[in-house]
mmCIF file of all heavy atoms in Angstrom:
data_model
loop_
_atom_site.group_PDB
_atom_site.id
_atom_site.type_symbol
_atom_site.label_atom_id
_atom_site.label_comp_id
_atom_site.label_asym_id
_atom_site.label_seq_id
_atom_site.Cartn_x
_atom_site.Cartn_y
_atom_site.Cartn_z
ATOM 1 N N VAL G 453 -37.285 -85.347 44.720
ATOM 2 C CA VAL G 453 -37.888 -86.362 45.574
ATOM 3 C C VAL G 453 -37.159 -86.356 46.905
ATOM 4 O O VAL G 453 -35.938 -86.417 46.956
ATOM 5 C CB VAL G 453 -37.771 -87.750 44.916
ATOM 6 C CG1 VAL G 453 -38.273 -88.828 45.863
ATOM 7 C CG2 VAL G 453 -38.572 -87.768 43.617
ATOM 8 N N LEU G 454 -37.891 -86.309 47.966
ATOM 9 C CA LEU G 454 -37.287 -86.245 49.294
ATOM 10 C C LEU G 454 -38.088 -87.096 50.250
ATOM 11 O O LEU G 454 -39.288 -86.918 50.374
ATOM 12 C CB LEU G 454 -37.259 -84.798 49.801
ATOM 13 C CG LEU G 454 -36.776 -84.616 51.233
ATOM 14 C CD1 LEU G 454 -35.310 -85.012 51.333
ATOM 15 C CD2 LEU G 454 -36.963 -83.183 51.674
ATOM 16 N N VAL G 455 -37.433 -88.050 50.883
ATOM 17 C CA VAL G 455 -38.091 -88.882 51.893
ATOM 18 C C VAL G 455 -37.467 -88.558 53.227
ATOM 19 O O VAL G 455 -36.299 -88.848 53.459
ATOM 20 C CB VAL G 455 -37.905 -90.385 51.574
ATOM 21 C CG1 VAL G 455 -38.593 -91.234 52.633
ATOM 22 C CG2 VAL G 455 -38.489 -90.693 50.197
ATOM 23 N N ARG G 456 -38.202 -87.922 54.090
ATOM 24 C CA ARG G 456 -37.697 -87.580 55.420
ATOM 25 C C ARG G 456 -38.518 -88.309 56.460
ATOM 26 O O ARG G 456 -39.732 -88.433 56.348
ATOM 27 C CB ARG G 456 -37.766 -86.071 55.668
ATOM 28 C CG ARG G 456 -36.701 -85.331 54.901
ATOM 29 C CD ARG G 456 -36.396 -84.026 55.577
ATOM 30 N NE ARG G 456 -35.869 -84.241 56.902
ATOM 31 C CZ ARG G 456 -35.508 -83.248 57.702
ATOM 32 N NH1 ARG G 456 -35.614 -82.024 57.326
ATOM 33 N NH2 ARG G 456 -35.045 -83.507 58.903
ATOM 34 N N ARG G 457 -37.878 -88.770 57.464
ATOM 35 C CA ARG G 457 -38.544 -89.579 58.470
ATOM 36 C C ARG G 457 -39.048 -88.715 59.613
ATOM 37 O O ARG G 457 -38.368 -87.836 60.088
ATOM 38 C CB ARG G 457 -37.544 -90.613 58.996
ATOM 39 C CG ARG G 457 -38.121 -91.496 60.076
ATOM 40 C CD ARG G 457 -37.079 -92.469 60.548
ATOM 41 N NE ARG G 457 -37.563 -93.209 61.695
ATOM 42 C CZ ARG G 457 -36.847 -94.071 62.377
ATOM 43 N NH1 ARG G 457 -35.618 -94.316 62.029
ATOM 44 N NH2 ARG G 457 -37.346 -94.700 63.415
ATOM 45 N N HIS G 458 -40.272 -88.987 60.053
ATOM 46 C CA HIS G 458 -40.778 -88.361 61.267
ATOM 47 C C HIS G 458 -39.917 -88.761 62.440
ATOM 48 O O HIS G 458 -39.382 -89.871 62.475
ATOM 49 C CB HIS G 458 -42.207 -88.854 61.561
ATOM 50 C CG HIS G 458 -43.249 -88.164 60.752
ATOM 51 N ND1 HIS G 458 -43.591 -86.866 60.956
ATOM 52 C CD2 HIS G 458 -44.022 -88.603 59.720
ATOM 53 C CE1 HIS G 458 -44.559 -86.522 60.109
ATOM 54 N NE2 HIS G 458 -44.820 -87.556 59.346
ATOM 55 N N TYR G 459 -39.788 -87.872 63.424
ATOM 56 C CA TYR G 459 -39.214 -88.296 64.694
ATOM 57 C C TYR G 459 -40.206 -89.276 65.325
ATOM 58 O O TYR G 459 -41.329 -88.907 65.664
ATOM 59 C CB TYR G 459 -38.981 -87.108 65.633
ATOM 60 C CG TYR G 459 -37.733 -86.347 65.327
ATOM 61 C CD1 TYR G 459 -37.733 -85.339 64.368
ATOM 62 C CD2 TYR G 459 -36.531 -86.645 65.958
ATOM 63 C CE1 TYR G 459 -36.577 -84.640 64.069
ATOM 64 C CE2 TYR G 459 -35.370 -85.948 65.663
ATOM 65 C CZ TYR G 459 -35.402 -84.956 64.730
ATOM 66 O OH TYR G 459 -34.259 -84.265 64.438
ATOM 67 N N GLY G 460 -39.841 -90.511 65.453
ATOM 68 C CA GLY G 460 -40.724 -91.506 66.025
ATOM 69 C C GLY G 460 -41.510 -92.276 64.985
ATOM 70 O O GLY G 460 -42.304 -93.134 65.318
ATOM 71 N N GLU G 461 -41.313 -92.011 63.690
ATOM 72 C CA GLU G 461 -42.037 -92.734 62.650
ATOM 73 C C GLU G 461 -41.468 -94.123 62.499
ATOM 74 O O GLU G 461 -40.287 -94.355 62.710
ATOM 75 C CB GLU G 461 -41.900 -91.967 61.328
ATOM 76 C CG GLU G 461 -42.682 -92.596 60.182
ATOM 77 C CD GLU G 461 -42.517 -91.786 58.921
ATOM 78 O OE1 GLU G 461 -41.936 -90.711 58.997
ATOM 79 O OE2 GLU G 461 -42.971 -92.235 57.862
ATOM 80 N N SER G 462 -42.294 -95.082 62.123
ATOM 81 C CA SER G 462 -41.840 -96.462 62.041
ATOM 82 C C SER G 462 -40.943 -96.670 60.842
ATOM 83 O O SER G 462 -41.062 -96.003 59.821
ATOM 84 C CB SER G 462 -43.049 -97.400 61.947
ATOM 85 O OG SER G 462 -43.708 -97.216 60.708
ATOM 86 N N ILE G 463 -40.009 -97.635 60.982
ATOM 87 C CA ILE G 463 -39.113 -97.969 59.887
ATOM 88 C C ILE G 463 -39.905 -98.523 58.702
ATOM 89 O O ILE G 463 -39.553 -98.324 57.546
ATOM 90 C CB ILE G 463 -38.078 -99.011 60.371
ATOM 91 C CG1 ILE G 463 -37.268 -98.446 61.543
ATOM 92 C CG2 ILE G 463 -37.146 -99.412 59.239
ATOM 93 C CD1 ILE G 463 -36.371 -97.315 61.179
ATOM 94 N N THR G 464 -41.036 -99.216 58.963
ATOM 95 C CA THR G 464 -41.830 -99.828 57.894
ATOM 96 C C THR G 464 -42.331 -98.781 56.913
ATOM 97 O O THR G 464 -42.257 -98.951 55.700
ATOM 98 C CB THR G 464 -43.029 -100.573 58.502
ATOM 99 O OG1 THR G 464 -42.538 -101.475 59.485
ATOM 100 C CG2 THR G 464 -43.786 -101.335 57.422
#
Side-chain angles (χ1 to χ4, degrees):
V453 174
L454 174 66
V455 180
R456 286 205 62 179
R457 179 181 173 184
H458 280 289
Y459 280 85
E461 183 179 353
S462 68
I463 301 292
T464 306

